[in-house]
Amino acid sequence: MAKRSYPLSKVYGLLEPGPVVLLSTAHKGRANVMTMSWHTMMEFEPPLVGCIVSGRDFSFDALKATRQCVLNIPTVELKATVVGCGNTSGRSVDKFKDFGLTPAPAALVDAPLIAECYANLECRVVDTRLMNRYNFFVLEVLKAWIDPACKDPRTLHHRGRGAFMVAGETIKLPSKMK
């Protein structure tokens, strides 16, 4: 099979690590939501998640100041909301109100859970050493919530430039991990 050169600007779509999430923050009495797909698992227990939040994003200042957030995992049913939240700024829009999202109180952080998402991960920032250089935050998941009624969540995975893939069939393969 002959392979051809691939543009470096599109590599992200090949390595996309996981589902698109809605990151919620609360700062100075204002809750906000941003769409985020640049995250990666770093450790199992306690669960550590690395993520990039652009310094241009309204959520960056809230996350930097409060060191708290919630990673809310939507399913494909929220695709219009995911894209809408990603294409608007919290500086000028109340995304909870404008996109019909329901803020729910978290147990351990001030940022709200998004009730419509099938899973919610309450997080605190535990490492900011790469924040100034790369806008990279390391989050520790403090509490996880999941909707038991959602048996096979079909999550969105960003492939770049408006293209998304929907998680599909689950297969089981031999594993020594428990």
Side-chain angles (χ1 to χ4, degrees):
M1 172 191 312
K3 294 197 177 178
R4 64 178 172 86
S5 179
Y6 195 69
L8 295 178
S9 64
K10 295 183 177 183
V11 167
Y12 160 72
L14 299 173
L15 294 175
E16 193 282 323
V20 172
V21 300
L22 295 172
L23 180 135
S24 57
T25 54
H27 183 49
K28 296 183 179 179
R30 185 149 180 237
N32 189 47
V33 179
M34 72 165 273
T35 300
M36 180 175 70
S37 57
W38 291 2
H39 56 81
T40 186
M41 286 300 305
M42 296 177 68
E43 186 56 82
F44 297 108
E45 287 186 39
L48 296 179
V49 178
C51 67
I52 293 178
V53 178
S54 172
R56 296 182 308 257
D57 289 333
F58 184 63
S59 295
F60 180 88
D61 291 333
L63 186 56
K64 183 178 176 183
T66 66
R67 299 173 72 93
Q68 299 180 3
C69 66
V70 178
L71 300 178
N72 302 277
I73 307 174
T75 56
V76 70
E77 290 78 15
L78 289 175
K79 64 184 177 277
T81 299
V82 166
V83 171
C85 285
N87 287 327
T88 56
S89 172
R91 283 185 184 86
S92 56
V93 171
D94 178 341
K95 294 184 191 181
F96 276 93
K97 180 179 161 216
D98 286 10
F99 294 102
L101 295 171
T102 308
L108 302 174
V109 299
D110 294 330
L113 309 178
I114 298 174
E116 290 77 11
C117 290
Y118 96 93
N120 315 86
L121 310 175
E122 297 183 33
C123 302
R124 70 180 165 107
V125 176
V126 293
D127 191 338
T128 58
R129 286 177 284 181
L130 297 175
M131 182 192 64
N132 288 334
R133 188 165 185 175
Y134 299 110
N135 298 331
F136 189 87
F137 295 85
V138 178
L139 310 174
E140 178 181 349
V141 178
L142 305 173
K143 180 108 179 126
W145 304 92
I146 195 151
D147 179 353
C150 189
K151 299 293 183 205
D152 290 309
R154 296 181 61 226
T155 54
L156 293 166
H157 300 259
H158 190 227
R159 301 291 305 271
R161 303 176 200 265
F164 292 83
M165 182 173 63
V166 178
E169 179 184 4
T170 299
I171 61 172
K172 290 279 198 174
L173 301 172
S175 174
K176 292 183 180 183
M177 293 186 73
K178 297 189 186 240

